[in-house]
Amino acid sequence: MINTLEIMVIKENESPLMYKIKPGECFYYSTKDKNLKMRINAPFYEPLKSTGTLKTP
């Protein structure tokens, strides 16, 4: 599918997890990790790397 977003969740010392998201769908990922790294590929755009620190209330 040409309009599919590909999201790769990159975890330290583990194989990356690949998710494919259709247009208009939300992406939810639950983790207990304190940091989250993702690589997002979309048609017609350059790949985006995102790293975030997660806080729990």
Side-chain angles (χ1 to χ4, degrees), residues 40-55:
I40 304 166
N41 291 317
F44 311 111
Y45 294 94
E46 291 186 27
L48 171 69
K49 291 181 183 177
S50 176
T51 302
T53 301
L54 308 175
K55 295 180 184 179

Side-chain angles (χ1 to χ4, degrees), residues 6-46:
E6 294 180 350
I7 300 174
M8 181 183 301
V9 176
I10 304 165
K11 298 184 84 172
E12 196 170 315
N13 300 320
E14 292 185 25
S15 296
L17 302 171
M18 178 67 78
Y19 297 91
K20 294 190 179 204
I21 308 301
K22 294 177 186 173
E25 286 186 342
C26 295
F27 176 72
Y28 298 97
Y29 181 77
S30 296
T31 183
K32 292 182 180 179
D33 295 337
K34 292 183 179 180
N35 297 306
L36 181 63
K37 284 186 179 182
M38 297 188 298
R39 181 180 172 106
I40 304 166
N41 291 317
F44 311 111
Y45 294 94
E46 291 186 27

